[in-house]
Amino acid sequence: MSQSSTAADAVKTERNRFAAIVALPEAKGREGLAMTLATTTDMTVDQVKAALASAPTAPAGARAGDSDIGLSIDHGKTQHQNSQSVSAMWDAALTSRGMKLR
């Protein structure tokens, strides 16, 4: 077996692991934790499933950015800053999960 074949098999295995983790019923309401465990650990799907099952879920109907007092909606002059901040936040999130950018 060649090195490229071995690398391709490893990539396929990891993609299948990732897909299995995010598809777990236990990931529903725990998407952030599922993504973190999928991208920053070598845990098996069964190990991640057990960890997710023991974690609390987000309240029904909650969305990213929700707070205890409802959605925080930003209007006006900071909209441009927010779009730049979103890009920076994605860069930070991916980097924190060990993903190399450019």
Side-chain angles (χ1 to χ4, degrees), residues 23-63:
L24 288 169
E26 292 81 3
K28 185 173 175 83
R30 303 173 183 99
E31 289 83 0
L33 179 57
M35 184 70 70
T36 297
L37 294 174
T39 60
T40 63
T41 73
D42 292 330
M43 295 169 71
T44 67
V45 174
D46 287 337
Q47 289 170 325
V48 171
K49 182 177 181 175
L52 290 171
S54 67
T57 60
R63 296 178 293 177

Side-chain angles (χ1 to χ4, degrees), residues 56-96:
T57 60
R63 296 178 293 177
D66 283 357
S67 70
D68 291 340
I69 59 170
L71 288 176
S72 298
I73 301 173
D74 183 41
H75 298 283
K77 61 185 176 185
T78 59
Q79 188 172 7
H80 179 70
Q81 288 175 315
N82 286 342
S83 66
Q84 291 175 334
S85 296
V86 169
S87 179
M89 288 187 311
W90 270 110
D91 290 349
L94 295 173
T95 301
S96 74

